[in-house]
Each structure stands twice: as structure tokens, then as C-alpha cells.
Amino acid sequence: MLQHIKKRIESLAQSIEHRAMVIVPGAGYVYRNLDVDFPFRQFSDFAYLSEWYYPESWWLLKKEGDAVQVVLCCQDSDPAIERWEGKRLTPEAIVALGHADEVIYRQALEPLLKQWLSEVPTVYFPFEKKTQVEALLTDVLDDSNRRPVRPRAYLDVSPILGAQRLYKSEDEIKHMRHACQISAKAHESLMRQVKHKTHEYQLSSLFRDVCFQAGSEHLAYESIVASGENACTLHYRTCRDAIDPNGLILVDAGCEWQGYASDITRTFPANGRFSSEQRDIYQIVLEAQQAVIDLVKPGVGFDALHRKANEVMSQGIQNLGILSSTSYDIKDLFFHGVSHWLGRDVHDPCPYSDQESHPMVLQPGMVITVEPGLYISNQLKEISPDYHSIGVRIEDDVLVTEQGSDVLSKDCCKTIDTIEDIMNS
Ligand code: GLY
Ligand code: MN
Ligand code: MN
């Protein structure tokens, strides 16, 4: 078995009860419309435990004291389907590639589960995949021929895997850095090419193209490309509007590399030059982002990051004098968190508080985003119209190191001067 998978499994086995099993379903094809599926992407926990990127698979572990057995279950061989969809690897070939030490066909899954259920009383599975696991267990438990012992406890394995996934290995960091490098290049292509584009979807398409040309197989999430007032909608999705030539364009987009995400936001003026009002707001957000990045180091609480962003941006807005301090709350302009975990998932499912419900403390190997933003929608009537429809977010991906931090997405330009230079060169 591949060494890094083995390590992850050892860690998981140490965290579960002594006589227990773990069931993790892989992703299936998701139906889109007649005879058409959405692009296949493996579930992140499943990929973390197997690096197996094929559909309709299962991952199982049984622990009895010190004895740990792992079985990967792959699709059955089916020459008729394989003629249409391509050859499927045999269990022997999958073992040889190091995905697991034991691999069985799907048809052998129920008998194996029946046996394991009679041997251990506790079943862990990801509760968010309840429907799939329940369907499988119901089939096994309802078979009256050889009724297995009903499990005495069902436990959620997701928090255990989430806690493991908090710490990235050297290889994982390498993949995330590479994802960031590709995404940085794509963001800069958009800045260079926007003068030839008329609509948001053209930029979205260019971002995807640069990433896919570089070998990425998936975006980490649907790109947000929001021009003018649209930039004030946090998760703007439609991406259909014409580009406002005097407005800002906010692009929140990132690709995956080897199953690991990048998550970068850049905001730039469609016409290549920031207006003085756009500059004012951009500079406040940039200063807040730098202040938060400067804070990142081992021992700092996750909650301190948001406080710092609020503090710098409140002061910046106050200094600008566009809102009287009595009528205004920074939450009106900055209404999302400044940071989240990043990893296989763009919002990596790692814990935000510890066992005592205190905010997590940053440690080397963790990766976070730092993404302050200010959004001055034209609905904010108390603010001068000169500042309306200015939505700015600047987002980078930051590794916590022994010494402090390393910005994985540092290749992507973000100062006003460097953005204007790149747009006008
Ligand atoms: N791309 C989504 C986010 O920044 O959280
Ligand atoms: Mn983010
Ligand atoms: Mn983002």
C-alpha cells in the first residue's frame, strides 16, 4: 500500500473504538439529464483513504484490538458496460498500484459486511453519506438467511477524518502550492485579457481554460466572476452579465491539483485603472489582508484573524469618513468570515473549535484562506453614490509554518500598481 495512505489509515485506526468497523462510500455518477451525468469527482474522504478515483467504490476497515484490515471494493467486471465506458481495473491491478492491500469486487461486498457485522459491534461512517450507507446496511441486515448481529452503535467518522485532514503533509502542500500556481496564472490571464472581453462568462471560460490547459482536471468550485454591482453579491453565480467598463470585476476562482484545492480572489478595474473611490476601498481591504497574514503563526487562535480584519477595515472606513460612526457597523460591509480551512475541499471539513469548544489554535501544516472584503451595494443609501457598486475581496491561501506563514498563492499579483501594470502592459 502507498506509504502515505498507510499512515492516514494507522492514524484513523488509533482514533476509533477497539472493536469497530468503518464504512466510507465512494462517489457514484450523478445523473444530470437523459443519458448524461455531471462530471465525476471522488468524495474527498474516500480519496484521502485510498487515492482511488473511480466511481461506485467502497472503502472498509475492521479493527479488532491490534488487528486492522482494510478492504477496497471496486466495480464488478462487466464486459458489456466496459465496451461503452472503458476497461475497469481488476482487484489485482488495484492492489499492485498500492490503493489498498486487499481489493474485492462489488458483488463480494454484502457477504463481507455480513461477516464483519457479526464480529464487531460498532460501525463508523460519514453521517453526511447516510443515505448510501443506510441502503447498503439495510440490504445486509434484512437478509433473513444469515442474519448478522445488529450493530450496537453507529458513529460519525467525519469529525475524526476532519481532524486528521487539518494537518497537511509535504506532498499535500506541494499539490496545493501547484494548484495555487496554476490559478495565479489564470487570474493574471484574466487581468491581461479583459480588454478583449465583453461578458462575465468569457472570463469564467478563460479561467477554466488556462487551468485545464495546465493539466488540472477540476475547478475547486464554480468560479465567481462578478462585474460592478454583482461583486456585492457574495456567491454570485449567474455569470451572464455584460462587463461594466467603469466598474470593478471580482473573480473568486481556483482549480484543483491532484485532488487538492486552491481558492483565490482578485478584484481589478475592467478598464485597467482604479478610480480614486475604487482605490480607497481596495487599499483598505489590502491592508486588512496583509495585517491578517502578518498575524498568522503557530499559537494564534482562529478567532483572532477575523477580529484583526474587522479592526483594520473599521478603522479604514472611519478614516475615509464615508459613514458616520453612529449609523454604521462593519458587518454591513463585511458579512462573511475572513478565513476557512482549505485542503481537498475548498471549505475543508476540519474542526473550528477544540474539545473544550475553544477556537482552534493555528499549528504548522494547517492551510487557511485569508479573504477580507468590503461590499458597498447601491442599496446602502447612507453611503455616497460615488462609492456604490464597489465590491472588493482579496483572497490568498496561507500555510502555517514553524516560523509564521507561507502564502501559497503569492505568485498572483494584488497591489494596485502591479495589477495596473499587468493590465496595461
Ligand atoms: N470560493 C469560496 C470561498 O472563498 O469561500
Ligand atoms: Mn475562500
Ligand atoms: Mn474564494
Side-chain angles (χ1 to χ4, degrees), residues 221 252 263-265 371 393 395:
Y221 51 96
D252 182 345
D263 182 10
I264 301 179
T265 306
E371 50 178 307
R393 179 162 65 257
E395 177 174 27

Side-chain angles (χ1 to χ4, degrees), residues 56-353:
E56 285 154 12
S57 308
W58 292 82
W59 186 93
L60 303 123
L61 175 149
K62 183 178 59 140
K63 173 178 169 184
E64 286 186 283
D66 289 337
V68 175
Q69 185 183 357
V70 170
V71 175
L72 179 64
C73 170
C74 67
Q75 284 177 304
D76 290 326
S77 158
D78 185 330
I81 295 180
E82 286 175 54
R83 236 182 121 193
W84 283 63
E85 295 186 354
K87 201 104 193 85
R88 292 174 177 172
L89 290 184
T90 62
E92 296 73 31
I94 300 169
V95 170
L97 288 170
H99 296 285
D101 287 341
E102 200 176 331
V103 179
I104 59 171
Y105 276 128
R106 176 65 184 79
Q107 61 195 13
L109 176 61
E110 275 87 356
L112 177 83
L113 264 184
K114 224 178 267 184
Q115 190 196 319
W116 282 14
L117 284 167
S118 68
E119 292 167 352
V120 292
T122 302
V123 176
Y124 289 82
F125 66 91
F127 279 9
E128 61 162 8
K129 303 287 183 282
K130 185 167 176 257
T131 316
Q132 271 165 277
V133 176
E134 266 184 2
L136 175 71
L137 285 177
T138 305
D139 277 357
V140 176
L141 292 168
D142 285 353
D143 180 342
S144 55
N145 292 333
R146 272 185 54 213
R147 184 180 289 277
V149 179
R150 220 158 256 280
R152 286 203 290 276
Y154 292 107
L155 297 172
D156 192 0
V157 74
S158 303
I160 300 174
L161 292 172
Q164 281 184 222
R165 285 171 54 187
L166 203 43
Y167 298 91
K168 274 70 181 179
S169 69
E170 298 267 309
D171 279 341
E172 290 178 301
I173 292 164
K174 212 163 73 191
H175 296 328
M176 293 180 77
R177 197 186 298 279
H178 195 66
C180 283
Q181 285 164 345
I182 296 173
S183 297
K185 225 197 281 175
H187 274 279
E188 291 192 355
S189 296
L190 267 53
M191 293 175 196
R192 284 198 183 87
Q193 295 296 318
V194 64
K195 52 180 173 271
H196 306 299
K197 309 293 180 194
T198 56
H199 284 77
E200 294 166 338
Y201 53 79
Q202 294 171 329
L203 293 179
S204 173
S205 149
L206 177 61
F207 187 91
R208 185 189 179 85
D209 188 49
V210 174
C211 295
F212 280 35
Q213 291 285 343
S216 168
E217 291 183 40
H218 296 278
L219 295 182
Y221 51 96
E222 269 314 296
S223 304
I224 296 164
V225 178
S227 156
E229 176 68 19
N230 294 338
C232 300
T233 303
L234 192 59
H235 284 172
Y236 172 72
R237 290 169 202 260
T238 43
C239 213
R240 285 190 202 114
D241 284 357
I243 292 169
D244 171 0
N246 297 314
L248 291 174
I249 302 175
L250 183 155
V251 179
D252 182 345
C255 70
E256 285 184 1
W257 184 259
Q258 305 283 317
Y260 287 83
S262 55
D263 182 10
I264 301 179
T265 306
R266 288 295 182 263
T267 309
F268 50 90
N271 64 16
R273 296 280 172 209
F274 286 86
S275 70
S276 100
E277 291 81 9
Q278 290 166 353
R279 238 165 222 272
D280 289 342
I281 302 301
Y282 191 92
Q283 204 52 38
I284 294 171
V285 178
L286 187 62
E287 277 163 24
Q289 202 217 21
Q290 196 53 55
V292 176
I293 292 173
D294 289 345
L295 197 63
V296 174
K297 61 169 188 276
V300 170
F302 201 90
D303 54 330
L305 307 177
H306 197 77
R307 278 202 304 276
K308 176 57 80 177
N310 267 341
E311 178 193 310
V312 176
M313 293 201 290
S314 296
Q315 190 62 56
I317 291 290
Q318 215 173 312
N319 294 347
L320 204 54
I322 56 170
L323 265 173
S324 73
S325 54
T326 46
S327 69
Y328 129 89
D329 183 335
I330 189 69
K331 284 200 199 84
D332 296 335
L333 308 184
F334 172 46
F335 43 87
H336 57 82
V338 79
S339 186
H340 56 79
W341 304 121
L342 185 72
R344 282 187 176 269
D345 293 303
V346 62
H347 290 183
D348 227 25
C350 307
Y352 285 93
S353 47

Side-chain angles (χ1 to χ4, degrees), residues 377-397:
S377 156
N378 56 21
Q379 299 306 302
L380 293 170
K381 302 295 181 207
E382 62 274 43
I383 297 187
S384 153
D386 293 343
Y387 284 90
H388 278 173
S389 302
I390 295 181
V392 175
R393 179 162 65 257
I394 308 171
E395 177 174 27
D396 280 297
D397 302 341

